[in-house]
């Protein structure tokens, strides 16, 4: 063992699946301790303020480890002067200090919205806040990790020095802000987001009612390749004509301050603590290197109820934004769009598209050589889907299609006839559905009647997905409405993350839930490894074996969520394997396993 090089041991330790296993390795001997600690601190997660209090003295005493972390996840919020006014932390119970002492927070004066949360049994997950001294230690220690490649802010109120903190890492590649409240009193800085070295930016689920215009400016980072955002932070609005008067941008470069209720810009004045900082660019330009755009719009129910004049406010600026990216190869539109009037000259290099059925006609046309198409629209009828296929064929949009994925609300055998008729050249096919099932006779005949007539087909995934907790989605807002709280109160209680979306019906479920459900095994009524499961495996094997004669090029089949059948060649036997989601939480992208089989 002593003859093995350190690099080999490091690779072995990195493959350990559990931190507990790695901790046991660290306690083996001094050599393993030195190597194991470097692996152990490769990914630092500080989301529990108690654990941070226990951990930071060790890091302060071992400065040699400061260059080790490559990924840092922060989720600790600082105490604010008026915690009760900030939805994300208004239920905190105490303040923790650097020595571990906890100071209770008086909760005598509760706001009406906080009482509403308590009445329906919803309590903020943030129970402890960091004191000012502990917060200073937290971010000083974070800034010492000079080799960070990935920085994540999860479920917290962003610190006031956030806009300068992110510039502390010269090698930063990925920046993620998810389920966070923007800084309450942001400290001004002359460092502009366009100078950040990041190549991937993710901003999802901003909370509270603060203007996210400062966070939108991060879309100007000149090295960006991948950009992800949702309806709580429409980054594309930053690059379109602003709704404010033109004199709000009197300077070029640097950061200025704008009074939130005034219509003019002014230099920063420390006496105005409620002012915000925004990039003062006349014509902000996005990165020319962006190849992937992933945007999440509201659900269909929310469009109908809470989005006035969508074309003027959302759709037209979004189309203008897309025209600025001739190099984009991947576009993902999640949830719902009523329509999308995309010019024929926009996105000429688009190769992969994921979106609702209402946008297919505009995006998938003869001008764009789409190779991989993912349609997510559980509320669409089969007639509308077949019409969309026909329009794609007429326009020439399906001529280059290699991979097709469809998510249906219910199963219908006619979908197979439509796909066979319009897309015989497919190599990868995925059909997911929420209700119903094909009959055993239909499955037996799939090889002879459908897949055998698609000579290039190598991968078939046809299975039902049952999202966990589907009946409870949207119940938070529903219960508030049932108690007589108007929609405005719902916004105050839940913030923009849920308040803007409003109550959600089952047909409008977020497609991300179904992505998770793809890897959840279906119930079998028997214990794992029991006779029932073995009988089911044999039945599936017999069904798939019936296709062998007609589908010699087929290599992968999935007929049940959580399991996939594979073989290496036409003469090989089918073997069942469990499926697993790809590492990371991002969407499937070209070059990153857009389809699991690619």
């Amino acid at each position: 063992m002593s003859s093995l090089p350190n690099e080999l041991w490091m690779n072995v330790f990195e493959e350990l699946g559990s931190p507990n296993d790695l901790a046991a390795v660290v306690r083996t001997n001094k050599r393993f301790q030195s190597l194991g600690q470097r692996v152990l601190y490769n990914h630092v997660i500080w989301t529990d303020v108690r654990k941070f209090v226990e951990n930071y003295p060790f890091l302060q005493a071992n400065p040699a480890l400061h260059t080790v972390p490559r990924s840092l996840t922060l989720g600790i919020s600082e105490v604010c002067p008026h915690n009760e006014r900030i939805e994300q932390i208004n239920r905190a119970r105490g303040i923790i200090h650097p020595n571990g002492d906890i100071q209770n927070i008086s909760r005598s004066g509760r706001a009406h919205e906080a009482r509403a949360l308590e009445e329906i049994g919803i309590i903020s997950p943030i129970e402890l806040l960091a004191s000012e001294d502990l917060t200073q230690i937290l971010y000083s220690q974070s800034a010492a990790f000079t080799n960070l490649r990935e920085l994540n802010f999860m479920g917290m109120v962003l610190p006031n020095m956030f806009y300068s903190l992110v510039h502390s890492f010269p090698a930063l590649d990925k920046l993620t802000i998810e389920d966070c409240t923007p800084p309450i009193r942001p400290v001004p800085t002359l460092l502009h987001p366009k100078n950040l070295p990041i190549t991937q930016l993710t901003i999802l689920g901003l909370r509270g009612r603060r203007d996210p215009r400062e966070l939108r400016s991060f879309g100007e980072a000149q090295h960006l390749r991948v950009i992800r955002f949702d309806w709580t932070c429409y980054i594309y609005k930053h690059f379109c004509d602003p709704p404010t008067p033109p004199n709000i941008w009197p300077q070029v470069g640097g950061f200025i301050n704008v009074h939130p209720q005034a219509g003019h810009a002014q230099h920063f004045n420390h006496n105005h603590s409620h002012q915000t900082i925004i990039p003062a660019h006349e014509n902000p330009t996005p990165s020319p290197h962006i190849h992937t755009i992933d945007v999440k719009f509201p659900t269909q129910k929310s469009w109908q109820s809470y989005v006035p004049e969508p074309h003027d406010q959302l759709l037209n600026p979004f189309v203008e934004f897309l025209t600025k990216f001739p190099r984009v190869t991947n576009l993902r539109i999640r949830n719902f769009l009523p329509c999308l009037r995309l010019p024929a000259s926009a996105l000429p290099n688009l190769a992969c598209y994921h979106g609702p059925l209402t946008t297919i006609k505009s995006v998938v046309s003869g001008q764009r050589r789409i190779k991989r198409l993912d349609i997510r629209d559980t509320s669409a009828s089969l007639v509308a889907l077949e019409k969309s296929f026909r329009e794609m064929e007429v326009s020439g949009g399906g001529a280059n299609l290699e991979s097709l994925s469809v998510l249906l609300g219910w199963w219908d055998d006619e979908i197979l006839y439509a796909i066979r008729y319009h897309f015989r050249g497919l190599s990868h096919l995925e059909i997911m559905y929420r209700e119903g099932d094909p009959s055993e006779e239909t499955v037996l005949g799939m090889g002879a009647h459908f897949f055998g007539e698609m000579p290039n087909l190598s991968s078939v995934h046809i299975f039902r997905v049952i999202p966990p907790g589907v009946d409870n989605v949207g119940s938070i807002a529903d219960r508030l409405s049932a108690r007589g709280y108007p929609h405005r109160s719902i916004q105050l209680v839940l913030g923009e993350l849920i308040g803007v979306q409003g109550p959600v019906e089952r047909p409008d479920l977020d497609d991300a839930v179904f992505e998770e459900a793809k890897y959840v095994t279906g119930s079998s009524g028997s214990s794992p490894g029991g006779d029932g499961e073995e009988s089911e495996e044999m039945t599936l094997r017999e069904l798939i074996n019936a296709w062998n004669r007609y589908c010699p090029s087929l290599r992968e089949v999935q007929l049940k969520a959580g399991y996939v059948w594979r073989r290496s060649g036409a003469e090989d036997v089918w073997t069942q394997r469990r499926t697993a989601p790809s590492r990371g939480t991002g969407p499937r992208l070209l070059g990153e396993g857009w389809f699991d089989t690619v």
Side-chain angles (χ1 to χ4, degrees):
M1 293 177 60
S2 60
S3 61
L4 295 178
N6 291 341
E7 292 77 11
L8 182 58
W9 283 118
M10 293 281 287
N11 290 334
V12 172
F13 296 160
E14 288 175 355
E15 293 300 322
L16 294 177
S18 170
N20 294 331
D21 295 338
L22 188 56
V25 168
V26 169
R27 292 190 289 266
T28 303
N29 55 53
K30 290 185 177 180
R31 184 188 181 193
F32 281 8
Q33 179 184 16
S34 177
L35 298 177
Q37 282 180 348
R38 301 186 69 83
V39 176
L40 191 62
Y41 282 92
N42 197 27
H43 302 280
V44 178
I45 301 177
W46 286 336
T47 56
D48 188 324
V49 65
R50 288 191 182 95
K51 292 183 179 179
F52 173 73
V53 170
E54 298 173 357
N55 183 253
Y56 82 82
F58 175 80
L59 283 172
Q60 288 182 335
N62 293 272
L65 293 175
H66 292 179
T67 59
V68 172
R70 296 296 185 269
S71 172
L72 174 62
T73 299
L74 297 174
I76 299 175
S77 299
E78 180 185 6
V79 61
C80 299
H82 300 285
N83 296 327
E84 69 280 359
R85 300 180 184 178
I86 304 171
E87 175 266 331
Q88 194 163 18
I89 60 174
N90 62 8
R91 306 307 293 156
R93 301 174 181 273
I95 304 170
I96 190 167
H97 296 271
N99 60 0
D101 292 343
I102 297 178
Q103 174 186 347
N104 292 331
I105 296 178
S106 175
R107 300 172 58 193
S108 57
R110 295 176 176 173
H112 171 72
E113 293 78 21
R115 292 199 303 270
L117 281 174
E118 188 174 70
E119 289 177 13
I120 62 175
I122 302 173
I123 302 297
S124 171
I126 300 179
E127 295 187 356
L128 291 177
L129 304 176
S131 66
E132 293 183 5
D133 293 340
L134 185 60
T135 301
Q136 183 64 35
I137 295 174
L138 171 65
Y139 293 113
S140 296
Q141 186 61 66
S142 299
F145 299 151
T146 55
N147 288 334
L148 276 187
R149 301 291 190 273
E150 181 177 351
L151 181 59
N152 307 308
F153 295 88
M154 301 287 186
M156 60 178 292
V157 178
L158 296 178
N160 292 332
M161 76 286 292
F162 170 80
Y163 298 104
S164 58
L165 173 68
V166 293
H167 287 271
S168 303
F169 313 102
L172 190 62
D173 181 63
K174 300 179 182 180
L175 176 61
T176 299
I177 303 168
E178 187 170 347
D179 188 27
C180 292
T181 301
I184 306 303
R185 293 182 173 85
V187 177
T189 177
L190 295 178
L191 301 172
H192 198 280
K194 71 177 182 180
N195 299 319
L196 285 172
I198 58 174
T199 63
Q200 295 190 34
L201 173 65
T202 301
I203 302 180
L204 300 172
L206 293 185
R207 301 175 68 163
R209 302 183 299 280
R210 294 187 58 82
D211 192 337
R213 68 181 71 183
E214 302 100 329
L215 293 175
R216 291 174 184 164
S217 66
F218 279 76
E220 289 190 55
Q222 291 302 296
H223 299 285
L224 274 180
R225 266 71 171 172
V226 179
I227 183 171
R228 303 182 181 101
F229 57 93
D230 66 1
W231 75 89
T232 63
C233 185
Y234 284 128
I235 291 179
Y236 63 82
K237 289 187 176 182
H238 180 70
F239 301 97
C240 304
D241 294 334
T244 47
N247 61 357
I248 198 173
W249 314 101
Q251 303 178 10
V252 178
F255 276 78
I256 60 173
N257 286 273
V258 176
H259 194 285
Q261 298 179 349
H264 61 279
Q266 58 184 344
H267 292 283
F268 182 80
N269 185 341
H270 289 278
N271 294 327
H272 296 278
S273 60
H274 54 275
Q275 293 177 342
T276 58
I277 53 177
I278 62 173
H281 280 27
E282 293 181 354
N283 296 302
T285 56
S287 166
H289 309 293
I290 291 180
H291 60 71
T292 297
I293 298 176
D294 179 1
V295 54
K296 180 179 180 181
F297 285 95
T299 62
Q300 185 173 0
K301 177 72 174 183
S302 302
W303 278 94
Q304 296 170 352
S305 303
Y306 306 118
V307 183
E309 301 179 2
H311 288 277
D312 293 337
Q313 294 190 9
L314 297 181
L315 297 185
N316 293 340
F318 182 56
V319 171
E320 179 184 349
F321 174 72
L322 293 179
T323 60
K324 301 177 183 290
F325 300 98
R327 297 186 180 182
V328 165
T329 57
N330 298 274
L331 175 61
R332 178 176 180 134
I333 297 178
R334 292 186 279 172
N335 284 350
F336 179 76
L337 271 186
C339 65
L340 187 65
R341 302 188 182 98
L342 195 64
S345 58
L347 304 178
N349 295 310
L350 188 65
C352 299
Y353 178 64
H354 170 123
L357 187 61
T358 52
T359 63
I360 299 300
K361 181 179 179 180
S362 176
V363 176
V364 185
S365 66
Q367 302 293 331
R368 305 177 185 89
R369 301 174 65 87
I370 304 295
K371 295 183 178 180
R372 299 170 184 176
L373 177 62
D374 196 335
I375 303 175
R376 298 299 174 91
D377 201 335
T378 58
S379 61
S381 65
L382 184 61
V383 174
L385 188 62
E386 204 280 332
K387 179 183 177 182
S388 180
F389 289 166
R390 187 166 57 250
E391 292 172 343
M392 289 171 54
E393 186 178 27
V394 171
S395 67
N400 302 292
L401 199 62
E402 298 175 358
S403 300
L404 175 65
S405 177
V406 181
L407 173 63
L408 304 173
W410 54 90
W411 172 261
D412 193 317
D413 291 350
E414 293 297 324
I415 184 65
L416 294 174
Y417 289 95
I419 292 175
R420 182 193 62 180
Y421 182 81
H422 295 286
F423 308 113
R424 290 179 181 266
L426 288 178
S427 58
H428 304 279
L429 174 63
E430 181 180 66
I431 303 176
M432 296 178 292
Y433 50 94
R434 211 173 68 191
E435 297 179 8
D437 269 315
S439 65
E440 182 175 330
E441 180 180 357
T442 300
V443 176
L444 283 170
M446 284 181 181
H449 300 151
F450 302 102
F451 305 145
E453 300 186 23
M454 305 169 72
N456 301 326
L457 196 64
S458 62
S459 174
V460 174
H461 295 247
I462 301 178
F463 58 95
R464 181 162 59 102
V465 290
I466 305 177
V470 64
D471 293 329
N472 294 325
V473 177
S475 59
I476 295 175
D478 288 339
R479 280 182 285 167
L480 280 169
S481 298
R483 287 184 173 270
Y485 295 105
H487 178 68
R488 177 60 179 169
S489 294
I490 298 177
Q491 283 187 311
L492 293 175
V493 175
L494 302 177
E496 292 186 1
L497 183 61
I498 298 178
V500 171
Q501 182 174 345
V504 182
E505 294 181 349
R506 289 189 61 178
D508 300 323
L509 291 176
D510 185 353
D511 63 357
V513 179
F514 290 93
E515 282 295 321
E516 177 185 353
K518 286 174 56 177
Y519 309 101
V520 178
T521 58
S523 59
S524 60
S526 60
S527 59
D531 295 338
E533 187 169 324
E534 293 179 0
S535 175
E536 183 181 29
E537 181 178 344
M538 292 179 61
T539 301
L540 290 176
R541 187 193 301 274
E542 292 176 358
L543 292 174
I544 297 172
N545 282 336
W547 303 355
N548 290 346
R549 177 182 176 183
Y550 310 97
C551 309
S553 61
L554 202 58
R555 298 292 180 267
E556 182 172 287
V557 175
Q558 182 175 4
L559 297 178
K560 178 183 177 182
Y563 294 94
V564 65
W565 292 80
R566 295 188 178 98
R567 65 176 180 175
S568 60
E571 304 300 325
D572 194 13
V573 297
W574 290 100
T575 305
Q576 181 177 265
R577 296 285 185 269
R578 284 185 177 269
T579 59
S582 302
R583 293 184 179 182
T585 57
R588 297 175 295 178
L589 309 174
L590 182 61
E592 299 181 14
W594 195 84
F595 273 85
D596 297 334
T597 57
V598 177

